[in-house]
């Protein structure tokens, strides 16, 4: 007796036209393969299923399949069904095929900003997902609160208070689809409030600045020195900024924490002017040789927006980040996000379970030890291959700053490309209007390579250093 699903096939959009059903069906299938709409290896529906879908005789479909098998467009094997053949796709009539040979990717990736994806805790995550899904209320599968699931907001509030010194009420936590999504929402709200200018750091992430300018805001860089970004310049920026975007715990990419006196200065500025501080705490959990620098938000929750993400601690693909907002800002940001939750509920529930069960703490501690070992190996390798170069920013985070002789940054980055080594110079993170004295340096990320590739990455780096 056939299984109940045996006659069911995949959906296949075909519109046979022209004289003769078999001929037009054959032409339609051939064109679908030729144009790559049906990819090599795609399993086609059975002749019975396709005949039923198109309202034609089964023999007509079988004959069309047989003709295309004979021409080499399809393959048919016992037990495997009929599939699209693996063959070079011929471009549609009237077009010219242009070869595009694939460039091999870099052998080693030392670009900062991504963790070791091979170390994602798959087994523990699946366990948390199962527990979270089985215990979730039915209404969790609906559209939901635009701020995010209450389970995750409550878990985040508890974790951030304990681990980062954030003063968080779950009612003021908004879950978003990554840090950039949160920044987009804030930029929209700031512009609606009449803000025209946001102060930023002289060195930072250009994609973040672009999100602000896309919302109609102007970004103005602040000076940077050995104590970090200088917030004393906020009073001289013209027009007066309505907000400032900072990475105070571990400045990206320079690698230093914001000096404690300057932490107070920036909060005082916000209190005095009514401005907002946007705190990017993207890798605040990874510290090695010093006491953790608490979140700036703890100094004044009414003036600081705290932004965190799972992209560095777990994986960017989760698309989960969070904002802890001043109470006066919650309604506006929630409205900007929309009328329902736009982040995946199942991943939110899983992360909430991951946090409350202690699995997240265990994962972060293990990752911290792993990254510290990599950092130590990196510092040792640099002392061997380039003892004349100065490395800074090693106390925390997932990258270090390696100072280079003046005028050598571009040639070193180019040499790294020839060696199959993905590497960024610090000037790719410099604001175009920065008045801070330029320098030559490499921003060496040590999060991305898996453990087995780390020694090879260090050898490749040693070969390109001046």
């Amino acid at each position: 007796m056939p299984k109940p699903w045996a006659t069911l096939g995949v959906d296949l959009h075909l519109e046979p036209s022209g004289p003769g059903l078999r001929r037009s069906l054959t032409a339609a299938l051939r064109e679908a393969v030729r144009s790559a709409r049906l990819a090599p290896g795609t399993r086609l529906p059975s002749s019975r299923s396709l005949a039923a879908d198109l309202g034609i005789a089964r023999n007509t479909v079988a004959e069309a399949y047989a003709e295309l098998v004979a021409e080499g467009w399809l393959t048919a094997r016992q037990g495997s069904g009929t599939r699209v053949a693996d063959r070079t796709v011929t471009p549609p009539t009237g077009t010219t095929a242009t070869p595009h040979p694939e460039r091999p990717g870099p052998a080693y990736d030392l670009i900062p900003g991504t963790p070791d994806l091979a170390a994602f805790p798959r087994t523990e995550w699946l366990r948390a997902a199962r527990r979270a899904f089985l215990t979730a209320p039915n209404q969790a599968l609906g559209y939901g609160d635009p701020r995010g699931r209450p389970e995750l907001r409550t878990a985040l509030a508890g974790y951030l208070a304990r681990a980062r010194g954030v003063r968080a009420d779950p009612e003021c936590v908004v879950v978003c689809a990554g840090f950039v999504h949160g920044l987009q929402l804030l930029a929209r709200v700031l512009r609606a409030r009449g803000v025209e200018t946001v102060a930023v750091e002289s060195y930072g992430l250009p994609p973040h600045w672009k999100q602000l300018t896309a919302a109609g805001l102007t970004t103005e860089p602040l000076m940077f020195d050995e104590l970090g970004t200088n917030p004393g310049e906020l009073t001289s920026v013209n027009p007066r900024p309505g907000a400032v975007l900072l990475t105070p715990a571990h400045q990206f990419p320079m690698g230093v924490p914001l000096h404690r006196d300057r932490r107070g200065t920036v909060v005082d500025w916000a209190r005095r002017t009514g401005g907002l501080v946007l705190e990017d705490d993207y890798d605040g959990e990874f510290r090695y040789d010093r006491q953790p620098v608490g979140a700036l938000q703890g100094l004044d929750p009414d003036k600081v927006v705290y932004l965190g993400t799972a992209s560095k601690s777990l994986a960017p693909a989760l698309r989960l980040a969070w904002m802890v907002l001043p109470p006066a800002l919650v309604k506006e940001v929630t409205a900007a996000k929309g009328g329902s939750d736009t982040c995946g509920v199942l991943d939110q529930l899983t992360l909430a379970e991951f946090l409350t069960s202690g699995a997240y703490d265990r994962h972060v501690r293990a990752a911290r030890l792993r990254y510290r070992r990599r950092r130590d190996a990196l510092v040792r390798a640099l002392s061997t291959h380039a003892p004349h170069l100065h490395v800074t920013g090693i106390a925390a985070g997932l990258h270090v700053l390696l100072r280079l002789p003046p005028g050598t940054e571009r040639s070193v980055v180019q040499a790294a490309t020839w060696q199959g080594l993905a590497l960024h110079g610090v000037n790719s993170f410099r604001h175009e209007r920065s008045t801070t004295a330029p320098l030559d340096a490499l921003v060496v990320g040590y999060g991305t390579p898996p453990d087995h590739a780390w020694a090879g990455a260090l050898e490749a780096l040693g070969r390109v250093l001046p």
Side-chain angles (χ1 to χ4, degrees), residues 253 401 404 409 413 423-430 441-443:
L401 189 76
L404 298 174
E409 180 183 310
V413 172
L423 199 60
H424 278 175
V426 75
N427 283 295
S428 63
F429 302 104
R430 179 181 169 86
L442 299 177
V443 186

Side-chain angles (χ1 to χ4, degrees), residues 105-143:
Y108 303 106
D109 186 351
L110 296 183
I111 293 176
T114 305
D116 179 3
L117 302 179
F120 184 85
R122 299 180 185 226
T123 300
E124 293 80 3
W125 186 261
L126 284 172
R127 287 173 182 159
R130 178 178 175 80
R131 290 193 300 267
F133 189 58
L134 290 177
T135 58
N138 293 333
Q139 60 266 30
L141 303 180
Y143 289 103

Side-chain angles (χ1 to χ4, degrees), residues 151-452:
E151 296 92 338
L152 179 55
R153 291 188 285 115
T154 300
L156 284 169
Y159 172 78
L160 295 173
R162 170 172 54 82
R164 301 296 300 127
V166 173
R167 289 192 271 168
D169 183 331
E171 296 299 307
C172 295
V173 176
V174 172
V175 179
C176 42
F179 176 89
V180 166
H181 180 216
L183 193 59
Q184 289 172 340
L185 298 175
L186 291 168
R188 203 177 307 161
V189 169
L190 289 171
R191 195 69 190 92
R193 285 185 161 201
V195 172
E196 297 180 357
T197 304
V198 176
V200 297
E201 296 170 310
S202 285
Y203 291 88
L205 286 166
H208 294 176
W209 302 333
K210 289 179 181 178
Q211 295 303 324
L212 297 173
T213 56
L217 299 163
T218 299
T219 60
E220 289 294 337
L222 302 173
M223 287 284 289
F224 182 91
D225 57 28
E226 67 277 2
L227 300 181
T229 299
N230 185 0
E233 287 203 324
L234 284 166
T235 57
S236 60
V237 173
N238 189 27
R240 189 180 74 179
V244 57
L245 174 62
L246 298 171
T247 52
H250 184 237
Q251 204 282 331
F252 183 89
M254 308 303 280
V256 300
L258 186 63
H259 191 272
R260 61 179 179 274
D261 293 340
R262 292 184 172 181
R263 289 164 64 89
T265 298
V266 72
V267 171
D268 288 342
W269 166 84
R271 290 168 177 163
R272 187 175 64 255
T273 65
L276 281 173
V277 181
L278 312 183
E279 178 181 13
D280 178 2
D281 195 36
Y282 75 105
D283 66 0
E285 292 154 315
F286 296 114
R287 75 277 182 183
Y288 311 112
D289 301 325
R290 58 167 167 77
Q291 290 297 315
V293 177
L296 190 66
Q297 189 264 7
L299 297 181
D300 194 334
D302 292 327
K303 294 299 179 184
V304 181
V305 177
Y306 176 91
L307 297 105
T309 175
S311 294
K312 305 299 180 290
S313 57
L314 287 167
L318 290 178
R319 308 313 307 141
L320 284 177
W322 42 86
M323 296 181 283
V324 181
L325 301 168
L329 207 60
V330 173
K331 186 175 180 180
E332 294 166 80
V333 173
T334 302
K337 192 181 177 193
S340 61
D341 194 357
T342 55
C343 302
V345 166
L346 297 184
D347 281 340
Q348 288 188 60
L349 292 171
T350 302
L351 181 55
E353 172 64 24
F354 211 64
L355 285 162
T356 55
S357 68
Y360 186 81
D361 284 277
R362 292 191 294 273
H363 169 73
V364 168
R365 285 197 297 270
R368 194 181 295 143
L369 289 172
R370 182 169 60 255
Y371 293 138
R372 178 172 181 163
R373 287 195 293 268
R374 291 189 188 184
R375 184 214 58 176
D376 291 347
L378 171 60
V379 172
R380 286 195 301 270
L382 292 174
S383 66
T384 299
H385 294 289
H388 55 291
L389 299 181
H390 185 48
V391 60
T392 61
I394 66 173
L398 298 177
H399 73 275
V400 301
L401 189 76
L402 181 61
R403 301 292 183 97
L404 298 174
T408 62
E409 180 183 310
R410 181 176 296 181
S411 61
V412 171
V413 172
Q414 187 176 46
T417 301
W418 294 336
Q419 291 283 340
L421 182 65
L423 199 60
H424 278 175
V426 75
N427 283 295
S428 63
F429 302 104
R430 179 181 169 86
H431 197 285
E432 61 183 0
R433 292 195 302 279
S434 172
T435 57
T436 297
L439 64 132
D440 286 75
L442 299 177
V443 186
V444 184
Y446 50 86
T448 301
D451 287 339
H452 66 82

